[in-house]
Amino acid sequence: MIDNLPGLRTFANVVAAGSLSAAAREMDLSLTVVSKRLAQLEKELGIRLLQRTTRRQVLTEEGEVFHAEVLRIIAAVEQAEAVVSGRVGTISGTIRLTAPGELGRQWIAPAVAAFQRLHPQVTVQLLMTDAVVDLLDAGVDLAIRFGSLEDSSLVARPLAPNFRVLCASAAYLKQFGAPTHPAELVHHQCILIGDQRRAVWRFDGEEPLSVQVTAAFSTNDGGAAHALALEGAGIARKSIWDVGDDLAQGRLTRVLPDFAISAAPLHALYPSHRHLPPRVRALVDFLSERLGKAWRWGT
């Protein structure tokens, strides 16, 4: 029987931090102490949890299974500690959160700053990336994404509506004119997200339409596509969360506004809520309220 809570917490921190030395810094412990705790835990279990080299560490197959259980155990312990110590109203600890870069910079980072002012004992680590991060592998507590995932081990909580728009700068539309029908997009400079030369843009409605467009520019970064549109490089397809303020301020103009483009709502994704740490639950509630109030665009 494992009776080694410090070892469990150390193991979880090592996985989250990415290395023993990084975990030692975050826990304000010596590297020797962290190494001894992990070694003792592996000895008690009789298995190796991490394959370590001088450059990287990788969870073993047994380590992956054990890590998922450890996160649940630690969350349950923290909840119990909060109850018995009367700290139910005070949350603390570290939250690792991932969000798409553009959405993260415009909306999530300011919201997290406001949340931390309310809960100064909470530390938030932000991972801004458009890539889909495996929450358990990366030691991430919470993901903010457009749409949910097929991963049944995650809980998806809707935060706010969303829809896409086609947009371009006034300079581009003055030079090339504004299309009046999706079919005319084949004659326009289009900005694509990804590494493809061509893409299919679909439009909703009573008679759905699909148009194949060719990239004048393509990029793997949503922020770069946004910047290209602002510079008059072409027509981009973006979430209203990314370009809503630019449309309102006239920096961008909506193209083909009578042709709707649906998009998945904004979701918070996290592991099974049965043992969701209070600090993560509080942040999800805060984001839901804040982003719900921020939503101000009609469809």
Side-chain angles (χ1 to χ4, degrees):
M1 177 179 178
I2 300 298
D3 184 16
N4 186 353
L5 186 57
L8 297 180
R9 282 178 163 153
T10 298
F11 171 58
N13 285 329
V14 168
V15 174
S19 70
L20 274 70
S21 57
R25 288 192 298 269
E26 291 184 9
M27 299 174 70
D28 196 23
L29 295 172
S30 70
L31 179 58
T32 300
V33 170
V34 171
S35 298
K36 286 183 177 179
R37 285 186 179 181
L38 186 59
Q40 180 61 32
L41 182 62
E42 289 181 326
K43 181 179 179 181
E44 292 173 0
L45 291 167
I47 59 173
R48 180 171 289 279
L49 298 171
L50 291 164
Q51 295 289 357
R52 298 180 291 278
T53 68
T54 56
R55 293 188 176 182
R56 62 195 297 261
Q57 66 178 28
V58 179
L59 281 167
T60 64
E61 184 176 349
E62 294 81 5
E64 289 183 2
V65 175
F66 188 64
H67 179 246
E69 295 303 319
V70 166
L71 293 180
R72 296 186 181 95
I73 291 169
I74 292 174
V77 170
E78 289 178 349
Q79 176 67 20
E81 289 174 342
V83 171
V84 299
S85 64
R87 294 187 292 110
V88 176
T90 302
I91 58 175
S92 62
T94 299
I95 302 173
R96 286 173 57 84
L97 179 152
T98 181
E102 196 165 3
L103 178 82
R105 287 185 291 272
Q106 289 194 53
W107 298 99
I108 305 304
V112 165
F115 175 80
Q116 203 275 337
R117 285 194 292 271
L118 295 174
H119 305 285
Q121 296 183 48
V122 173
T123 299
V124 182
Q125 298 176 349
L126 292 174
L127 173 61
M128 303 300 192
T129 175
D130 292 337
V132 175
V133 176
D134 186 301
L135 272 62
L136 291 180
D137 283 352
V140 171
D141 301 296
L142 179 64
I144 308 302
R145 294 182 187 147
F146 292 113
S148 57
L149 292 183
E150 296 180 359
D151 188 342
S152 60
S153 68
L154 299 178
V155 176
R157 175 174 167 178
L159 295 177
N162 179 38
F163 64 91
R164 291 175 180 166
V165 297
L166 297 186
C167 56
S169 70
Y172 174 84
L173 295 176
K174 181 179 180 179
Q175 181 178 358
F176 295 97
T180 59
H181 189 276
E184 297 175 20
L185 289 170
V186 297
H187 304 299
H188 279 267
Q189 295 186 187
C190 295
I191 301 167
L192 302 186
I193 298 177
D195 60 0
Q196 70 270 38
R197 173 65 176 155
R198 294 180 176 81
V200 175
W201 284 357
R202 294 181 173 83
F203 299 83
D204 304 323
E206 294 182 2
E207 297 183 5
L209 296 170
S210 296
V211 178
Q212 186 178 72
V213 297
T214 301
F217 299 90
S218 62
T219 173
N220 66 339
D221 181 74
H226 188 176
L228 286 165
L230 289 169
E231 288 297 318
I235 298 174
R237 184 178 63 167
K238 297 291 294 178
S239 163
I240 190 63
W241 284 97
D242 294 339
V243 298
D245 287 341
D246 294 304
L247 295 174
Q249 298 299 320
R251 292 184 292 268
L252 290 173
T253 299
R254 190 169 175 183
V255 175
L256 297 172
D258 295 330
F259 294 85
I261 309 174
S262 64
L266 191 61
H267 282 82
L269 298 164
Y270 47 86
S272 176
H273 61 280
R274 184 176 61 176
H275 296 306
L276 190 66
R279 60 182 177 276
V280 178
R281 188 183 303 278
L283 178 56
V284 173
D285 291 342
F286 183 86
L287 290 174
S288 177
E289 180 179 4
R290 185 178 177 104
L291 295 176
K293 290 180 178 179
W295 175 260
R296 59 185 184 277
W297 301 289
T299 58

